[in-house]
């Protein structure tokens, strides 16, 4: 059915029933329309105004990209499901404090990750509010968690792939370590996206070079060998260790609790420090076990100078402390990560886990008896 239009070709609104038209709120809206005070969003958002809005909201860089961009074909279904009528995506980057991320004290690094995460979410919410006030429909999906867990495990759980959008918008290039490298801030950024139902006057352009300097320090730093020199990436190894206290690791821990016969059996499987760390992640934002690939990356104009000045000192002060740290590495039984961790980092204890992807095998009564024999 074709919508009715006025003499100037604009779509006309259907008549309002008398009872509804008599409502005070409806009368107020209609009066504002008659007076010409109703918010009329611009057909195209000014790119300069939009960028200034993002920076004022707390972002350190921002650019927009059309949902019709060929690299976003895989995002369209999910984006339009979240906000029907989406025309453009606004990618924003919030930078992190580098030395916090590099600290072997993971409490320091994790605090930095989560505070930057909160800043990014707040910035996106402010931008969404301003766009809404300008008359647009806009939505800001979470930077990370919470996500759409009702889709797990049959579908992807994120609303929009922030990294894919940021690269298409020209905020950086995906590095060997599978993090976006910003040309100025390097790997020390968190990304967030705002969906909006309008076009933007100017869209960002993909970078014509890769900020990665091919130093391979992310390869050297990863404790479970998830990053290969040839560009291969073992996502399962990364998830099993780095995200030990997120969704999959919690599931594995919960299965261990359920499978334990009593407190003594549980404590034979889970150390006191592991129990304390899991409690901390349940009472506070969950902690990343590694993130070393970001920590050691020297790419980015604001980051690169110390590496260029003295590469040996950079490795001694940034890379070595993370390599030398004594910490438990979580791996799947028989995996490449298990072999790599034992060979490359013999001083780091290696623990086999299911990763939460499957329940742990039941131990036999005989094995239990042998395990408890003094």
């Amino acid at each position: 059915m074709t919508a009715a239009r006025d003499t100037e070709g604009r779509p006309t609104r259907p008549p309002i029933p008398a009872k509804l038209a008599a409502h005070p709120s409806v009368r107020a809206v209609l009066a504002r329309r008659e007076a010409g005070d109703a918010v009329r969003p611009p057909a195209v958002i000014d790119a300069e105004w939009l960028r200034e809005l993002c920076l004022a909201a707390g972002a350190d860089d921002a650019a927009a990209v059309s949902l019709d961009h060929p690299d976003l074909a895989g995002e369209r279904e999910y984006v339009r499901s979240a906000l029907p009528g989406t025309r453009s995506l606004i990618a924003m980057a919030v930078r992190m404090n580098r030395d916090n991320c590099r600290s072997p004290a993971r409490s320091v690094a994790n605090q930095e990750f989560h505070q930057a995460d909160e800043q990014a979410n707040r910035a996106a919410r402010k931008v969404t509010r301003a766009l809404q006030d300008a008359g647009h429909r806009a939505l800001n999906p979470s930077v990370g968690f919470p996500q759409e867990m009702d889709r797990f495990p049959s579908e992807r759980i994120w609303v929009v792939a922030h990294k894919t959008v940021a690269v298409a918008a020209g905020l950086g290039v995906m590095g060997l370590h599978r993090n976006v490298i910003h040309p100025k801030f390097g790997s020390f950024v968190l990304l967030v996206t705002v969906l909006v139902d309008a076009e933007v006057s100017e869209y960002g352009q993909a970078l014509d070079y890769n900020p990665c300097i091919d130093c391979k320090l992310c390869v050297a730093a990863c404790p479970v060998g998830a990053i290969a020199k040839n560009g291969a990436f073992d996502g399962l190894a990364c998830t099993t260790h780095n995200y030990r206290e997120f969704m999959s690791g919690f599931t594995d821990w919960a299965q261990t609790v359920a499978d334990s016969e009593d407190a003594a059996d549980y404590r034979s499987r889970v150390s006191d420090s592991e129990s304390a760390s899991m409690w901390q992640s349940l009472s506070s934002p969950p902690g990343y076990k590694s993130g070393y690939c970001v920590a050691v990356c020297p790419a980015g104009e604001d980051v690169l100078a110390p590496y260029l000045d003295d590469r040996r000192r950079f490795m001694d002060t940034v890379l070595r402390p993370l390599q030398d740290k004594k910490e438990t590495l979580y791996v799947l039984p028989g995996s490449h990560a298990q072999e790599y961790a034992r060979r490359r980092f013999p001083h780091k204890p290696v623990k086999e886990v299911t990763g939460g992807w499957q329940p742990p095998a039941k131990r036999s009564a005989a094995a239990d008896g042998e395990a408890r024999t003094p």
Side-chain angles (χ1 to χ4, degrees), residues 331-339 342 352-353:
V331 299
L332 298 176
S335 63
H336 167 72
Q338 183 179 51
E339 182 276 327
R342 287 174 172 170
E352 293 183 356
V353 296

Side-chain angles (χ1 to χ4, degrees), residues 132-176:
Q132 172 186 277
D133 291 346
H136 298 288
R137 296 190 67 213
L139 179 146
N140 58 298
S142 171
V143 171
F145 289 92
Q147 296 191 8
E148 302 301 292
M149 303 312 295
D150 59 305
R151 298 177 182 172
F152 180 82
S154 59
E155 298 180 56
R156 80 178 206 181
I157 59 176
W158 52 94
V159 173
V160 62
H162 301 301
K163 295 179 183 179
T164 302
V165 174
V167 171
L171 290 191
V173 174
M174 192 76 78
L176 188 68

Side-chain angles (χ1 to χ4, degrees), residues 292-309:
Y292 297 167
C293 54
V294 171
V296 301
C297 181
E301 294 175 15
D302 282 2
V303 188
L304 191 54
Y307 179 79
L308 297 179
D309 292 342

Side-chain angles (χ1 to χ4, degrees), residues 281-366:
S281 283
L282 291 173
S283 60
S284 305
Y288 301 88
K289 289 296 185 184
S290 183
Y292 297 167
C293 54
V294 171
V296 301
C297 181
E301 294 175 15
D302 282 2
V303 188
L304 191 54
Y307 179 79
L308 297 179
D309 292 342
D310 192 335
R311 292 193 295 277
R312 181 182 296 275
R313 185 175 186 277
F314 185 90
M315 288 188 285
D316 287 343
T317 59
V318 176
L319 174 65
R320 303 277 186 249
L322 299 176
Q323 291 180 319
D324 294 343
K325 179 183 170 84
K326 186 176 181 181
E327 59 188 328
T328 300
L329 305 180
Y330 297 93
V331 299
L332 298 176
S335 63
H336 167 72
Q338 183 179 51
E339 182 276 327
Y340 180 91
R342 287 174 172 170
R343 171 174 52 83
R344 184 68 181 82
F345 299 103
H347 61 288
K348 295 178 185 277
V350 175
K351 184 168 185 175
E352 293 183 356
V353 296
T354 70
W357 308 117
Q358 59 186 15
K362 280 285 187 182
R363 298 196 296 183
S364 66

Side-chain angles (χ1 to χ4, degrees), residues 197-216:
D197 68 347
E199 295 181 357
V200 179
S201 63
E202 183 179 352
Y203 290 119
Q205 299 296 316
L207 293 183
D208 58 3
Y209 74 100
N210 190 341
C212 174
I213 62 170
D214 200 32
C215 65
K216 302 294 194 300

Side-chain angles (χ1 to χ4, degrees), residues 214-233:
D214 200 32
C215 65
K216 302 294 194 300
L217 289 184
C218 57
V219 177
C222 181
V224 291
I227 309 167
K229 291 181 179 179
N230 65 3
F233 182 72

